Amino acid sequence: MAARPIDPGVRIGHVHLKVADLDRALAFYCGVLGFELMQRYGAQAAFISAGGYHHHIGLNTWESQGGSPPPPGTTGLYHVAILYPTRAALADALVRLAEAGIPLDGASDHGVSEALYLRDPDGNGVELYWDRPHDQWPKTPDGQLKMFTQRLDIQGLLASREA
């Protein structure tokens, strides 16, 4: 354990994923989810973002061109989590997935957040979620965080898109 906690301003800046087919990955992350292509290096790498940031996700084929996902039961990335700013924005993501015929692996309400779980074309786990405001997070009687996993109200989420 660290003697002192990390600076609270530290954030995860980006994730870099190995993919088998760059065009297929871009079709999913840009074409379906709506990320913007910031820079591309031929058929080997691309950097994508939301809102003009230099990149939130890097995609590359340097060690994985034509490769397959790691088999179950091995170590590696469980999932990358993409934080949406509002519930309505997450609902829009759900509609995009449905329109593209991309199935969900799951959908959960964790008290602090609502999340959609799926796989990208390379089998990487992807979580799309939004955080409830901090003052709405569930707490124990003594004030400790009390996260949980319950079934997500999909219809309620979709209704927030129209609100």
Side-chain angles (χ1 to χ4, degrees):
M1 298 294 278
R4 26 183 209 97
I6 194 168
D7 184 296
V10 170
R11 299 286 183 263
I12 305 251
H14 68 272
V15 63
H16 207 121
L17 300 173
K18 295 189 291 186
V19 300
D21 181 310
L22 188 59
D23 288 329
R24 183 181 69 184
L26 288 170
F28 173 75
Y29 285 100
C30 296
V32 175
L33 295 183
F35 281 94
E36 178 183 5
L37 178 64
M38 299 306 291
Q39 190 165 0
R40 183 171 177 155
Y41 295 95
Q44 293 187 330
F47 298 96
I48 62 176
S49 82
Y53 187 65
H54 55 79
H55 73 290
H56 289 105
I57 301 173
L59 304 164
N60 78 69
T61 60
W62 299 323
E63 299 174 358
S64 55
Q65 179 72 41
S68 59
T74 59
T75 60
L77 180 70
Y78 184 71
H79 67 232
V80 58
I82 300 169
L83 177 62
Y84 285 75
T86 64
R87 191 173 196 227
L90 180 62
D92 182 67
L94 177 58
V95 169
R96 289 170 178 261
L97 294 170
E99 288 173 349
I102 296 172
L104 294 178
D105 289 344
S108 298
D109 181 342
H110 297 296
V112 297
S113 63
E114 291 180 314
L116 307 171
Y117 298 95
L118 57 137
R119 299 266 162 205
D120 76 2
D122 289 286
N124 294 308
V126 177
E127 175 184 354
L128 308 178
Y129 76 105
W130 85 284
D131 276 338
R132 287 188 172 94
H134 190 267
D135 63 353
Q136 295 178 19
W137 291 2
K139 304 278 174 112
T140 63
D142 65 349
Q144 298 296 311
L145 185 63
K146 186 179 180 182
M147 291 176 55
F148 53 78
T149 300
Q150 296 177 354
R151 188 171 186 223
L152 179 63
D153 174 7
I154 295 287
Q155 292 308 314
L157 176 62
L158 289 171
S160 73
R161 186 170 179 248
E162 300 159 7

